[in-house]
Amino acid sequence: MTTRGDDQMPTIHKNIPDSAGLNAFAADTALQDLTRLYLGQDARYLAELDRMGALVGSALEKLALTADKNPPTLQIRARNGADLEAVHKHPAYVELERYAFGEFGLAAMSHRAGVFGSETPLPPMMKYALVYLFVQAEFGLCCPLSMTDSLTRTLVKFGSKELIDTYFDQLTSQNMDEVFQGSMFMTEQLAGSDVGAIETTAKLVDGEWKLSGDKWFCSNPDAALGMVLARPEGAAPGTGGLSLFLLPRILPNGTRNAYRILRLKDKMGTKSMASGEIALEGATAYLVGDAGQGFKQMTDMINMSRLANGVRSAGLMRRAVSEALFISQNRTAFGKQLIDLPLMRRQLMKMLVTAEQGRSMVFHTARVLQAADAGDAEMARVLRILTPLIKFRTCRDARKVAGDGMEVRGGCGYIEEWSDARVLRDAHLGSIWEGTSNIVALDVARAVRRAGALDALRAYVGTLLDDAREAGTDVAKVAACFDRAADLLDGVANDRAREGDVRAAASAVYNATSAAIMVWEDAKLSGDAGYSGDRKRLADAVIAHKLTAHDPLAAPAAGSSEDDAAIAALLNRALVSDVTTQTQIAAQ
């Protein structure tokens, strides 16, 4: 970590500061702190995170930039007129797939032993920490990763033994010649957020289900397996009539299934990864679980995708913050380093606090997920509300942080040679896919009304604050803010006339919960000799600036100079390691 005292100033490079070659794990001491807290001191975990961090700043970044500039193409026919329908991926994207699915086993590690030599499946936190790093280089591929991971989970949870036995090994393979990728075909032209309006039909023909209809937005459209929602003939309208089906790309007899990729989407972001439109023309599919339970079963897959979206958004925010901190400490303007300019410090502080909120929320939710999957019913209720909270707020915050990061770099941030434009474009995806902000905020309210999730969250946050209190931390402000935020959400969720306030209430609970988690993290890390000591101060900043009323026309408080000092101290601890000119040249 580069520190900045009067006797130690970082090197200011003559050229535009370039962080190429930066190890995204080794340079991020807060990530190292949280890794020790949530994963322990397992040397195997730390080694793999460090290896991923080194790749993020070198090989993966170069591959991602290339893949982004060379999006996939769809070839409908061979040159002799034969049907072909192939999605051609650039070699850079294929190499990214090898790293993600093959070398690191990111889609396999939650489901089977063997990844990194482990005798058991790895904890959710390990997967999410690695993805958090990976996405700082490449976002697009994370969608197929997430869908493959979530499809496998849903298949194992609800599918028949025959289906599991048929496809599990390929879904969790690290052999790139054998691995099956997954996808999720749900959206239709008239059924986006309103899933109950799905028109795709399922008909039982000679004991086999045949699907017909159009799916409007299908990412990873040539995946080997897809999860599809369809309505069996005669089934009731709305979500209660939907069933879940597993759709193979290639049938057991080796022939291609009866559905076509009509075209690929020209997207604003995630350009490296194919998204398309699908026409189902009597395609063979296999019923997953019980008929009429499709929406409930698909919800589990969607919730895991929503959490993955939050992890990716948190990772993008960290990338933007890392770049902004590196630039500000290695560039001068008006005779000063950028980081020494008061307005820049405040802009960086806002970015940092928001990014750290997202990081704490997704990492801690991985901890809750592990307990829920182990059978803890109360943690399952906590997970039920944390997942939409993260999807709603973290994904929205990423758009703002990414935009501010571009601004810190200045004109170069608008140039596609750098990462900023790609990060900003990709950041907009999280708040759209798997439910737009309004839909997900309403789902927060639904979790309060139907699942008792807010009561579970109240109790859980209470235990976190009790742990911090026992460690000697003053938690009075955090507790008071959380209670008020929870009361607000409780009132809004249970009064349909107040639906217009649900976003504000969800934001309040997100902010208060993140502050409580960071206070707990601080207490747990306080005895660690390597701890940088910033989680409590970040929580204080959330309370002061996001949960406390301010008069926008009032003069600055008398203690604002102390606030400036606190900002400077936090940024100093967050600074990324300097990169020498030699390292930059070697990385390029």
Side-chain angles (χ1 to χ4, degrees), residues 23 46-56 99 103-104 116:
N23 183 317
L46 298 177
E48 295 301 336
L49 288 165
D50 185 71
R51 185 163 71 98
M52 177 68 86
L55 287 166
V56 164
Y99 275 114
E103 192 163 327
F104 283 92
F116 307 144

Side-chain angles (χ1 to χ4, degrees), residues 458-479:
R458 282 185 192 267
Y460 184 64
V461 168
T463 63
L464 296 182
L465 295 179
D466 285 344
D467 285 350
R469 190 181 292 109
E470 290 175 6
T473 304
D474 181 0
V475 300
K477 286 185 178 180
V478 180

Side-chain angles (χ1 to χ4, degrees), residues 146-177:
S146 170
M147 289 191 295
T148 305
D149 179 40
S150 299
L151 183 148
T152 305
R153 174 188 171 95
T154 302
L155 180 63
V156 169
K157 195 169 183 178
F158 301 110
S160 66
K161 183 178 185 301
E162 181 182 4
L163 278 181
I164 296 169
D165 290 345
T166 300
Y167 292 114
F168 180 84
D169 287 347
Q170 288 167 298
L171 282 167
T172 59
S173 177
Q174 289 176 261
N175 184 328
M176 297 308 295
D177 293 327

